[in-house]
Amino acid sequence: MPKPLSPEQIAAIRSVPLGTMPNKVGIVLAMTSTRQADIVEARGLSASQVSNANTGKGVTTVDTAREIAAFFVCDIELLFPGAEESAAEADERLERERREAERRSGEDRRAKDVA
């Protein structure tokens, strides 16, 4: 059964800096008095998937992150803020690469016009 976070809990989780934690799953588990087994039973994940997400050991897949977020009825980015930053950084990098490719393409066209 899902365990929706209250607006107050969401605000409190957002205010906690990530620091050296791999994500905020452990904070949410403690704040809501939720056992990892509760998520396993409710969302059909393995114990190791939930444990790895909590500890940051191994790789937490997007699907696992979605299932954990769905259990707490919240956005993935609330629990895994590093993922949001990585996606934003990737978007910025792709945009820079696109602009650079357009710039080079324009220079190539101008060089052909001059020749």
Side-chain angles (χ1 to χ4, degrees), residues 15-28:
S15 71
V16 175
L18 198 55
T20 59
M21 296 180 291
N23 55 58
K24 295 186 179 182
V25 173
I27 293 169
V28 176

Side-chain angles (χ1 to χ4, degrees), residues 40-98:
V40 169
E41 293 166 12
R43 303 306 300 183
L45 297 170
S46 72
S48 64
Q49 286 173 304
V50 177
S51 177
N52 288 346
N54 183 32
T55 62
K57 294 182 180 170
V59 175
T60 300
T61 66
V62 172
D63 290 337
T64 298
R66 276 192 188 118
E67 290 297 326
I68 294 170
F71 179 83
F72 292 109
V73 191
C74 68
D75 294 329
I76 294 174
E77 292 81 12
L78 179 68
L79 302 178
F80 299 89
E84 179 183 81
E85 293 167 2
S86 296
E89 290 169 359
D91 288 346
E92 289 174 12
R93 179 182 49 77
L94 290 172
E95 181 61 21
R96 280 193 309 273
E97 290 172 359
R98 184 191 62 75

